[in-house]
């Protein structure tokens, strides 16, 4: 057994778990945050992407004990004041989802991508960086459109604020 203490969506949480408990299991089963999905459990599909210390990671590929002491953001932590995050809003607006199973991972990957590339993000880069996120429904076109639209909006917002 190991004691794990994390900041999750701005709240400090701790709990005991088996040494072999994956971070995604801890998030879903101990914390009840089921927006983070498990599609493969073998680091291929990206449904389990969360942010650890600001960077997107596949939470099925890391043990909960390895994440102890870090700051985790899950899909539940993205919206603020009852408003969708701009990336969530863009997925809605541009029909970037159908069944929605891959969507939390896609959105978390996109938020990290946009924060790293800012206004320089282009379609080829979006497609390249989404290669670790698998969607069985959409054909990806609208997902890519949504990420580019969110990037344009978030970048424009930043420029306006400067
Ligand atoms: S469940 Fe983690 S990559 Fe598929
Ligand atoms: S929307 Fe169904 S798997 Fe992507």
């Amino acid at each position: 057994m190991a004691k794990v203490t994390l900041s999750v969506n701005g709240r400090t949480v701790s709990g005991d778990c088996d040494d072999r408990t994956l971070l995604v299991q801890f998030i879903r089963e101990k914390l009840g945050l089921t927006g983070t999905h498990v599609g493969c459990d073998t680091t291929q599909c990206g449904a389990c992407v969360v942010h650890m210390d600001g960077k997107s990671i596949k939470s099925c590929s890391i043990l909960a004990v390895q994440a102890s002491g870090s700051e985790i953001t899950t899909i539940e932590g993205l919206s603020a004041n009852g408003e969708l995050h701009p990336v969530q809003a863009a997925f809605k607006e541009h029909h970037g989802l159908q069944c929605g199973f891959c969507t939390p991972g896609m959105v978390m990957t996109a938020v990290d991508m946009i924060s790293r590339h800012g206004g320089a993000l282009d379609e080829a880069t979006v497609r390249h960086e989404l290669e670790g996120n698998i969607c069985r429904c959409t054909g990806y076109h609208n997902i890519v459109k949504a990420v580019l639209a969110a990037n344009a909006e978030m970048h424009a917002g930043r420029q306006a604020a400067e």
Side-chain angles (χ1 to χ4, degrees):
M1 278 302 232
K3 181 150 186 99
V4 173
T5 302
L6 296 165
S7 164
V8 179
N9 300 332
R11 195 168 58 96
T12 301
V13 294
S14 58
D16 295 322
C17 64
D18 272 353
D19 293 353
R20 63 185 176 173
T21 301
L22 298 171
L23 178 59
V24 70
Q25 292 173 312
F26 190 84
I27 289 169
R28 287 177 56 85
E29 294 163 24
K30 285 267 178 199
L31 306 181
L33 295 171
T34 54
T36 302
H37 292 164
V38 180
C40 67
D41 222 350
T42 50
T43 325
Q44 295 178 65
C45 74
C48 65
V49 171
V50 299
H51 294 175
M52 184 164 108
D53 296 329
K55 293 190 180 131
S56 59
I57 57 144
K58 290 179 171 174
S59 60
C60 74
S61 66
I62 179 169
L63 297 171
V65 285
Q66 290 176 295
S68 199
S70 65
E71 288 190 20
I72 301 293
T73 305
T74 70
I75 191 73
E76 290 90 346
L78 273 194
S79 64
N81 305 319
E83 303 255 332
L84 292 177
H85 183 281
V87 174
Q88 293 174 305
F91 269 67
K92 183 177 173 200
E93 172 77 21
H94 293 274
H95 309 289
L97 63 143
Q98 289 182 26
C99 79
F101 192 85
C102 70
T103 311
M106 288 282 183
V107 168
M108 297 308 284
T109 297
V111 171
D112 178 37
M113 192 191 311
I114 289 168
S115 95
R116 279 183 292 104
H117 291 280
L121 195 57
D122 60 19
E123 180 175 340
T125 305
V126 173
R127 289 186 181 277
H128 177 67
E129 293 217 8
L130 284 181
E131 71 181 3
N133 291 76
I134 295 172
C135 176
R136 292 174 62 119
C137 304
T138 64
Y140 299 95
H141 294 299
N142 287 351
I143 291 173
V144 173
K145 261 195 238 166
V147 176
L148 289 170
N151 179 65
E153 194 192 320
M154 291 166 74
H155 187 63
R158 231 175 266 143
Q159 282 180 331
E162 282 165 7

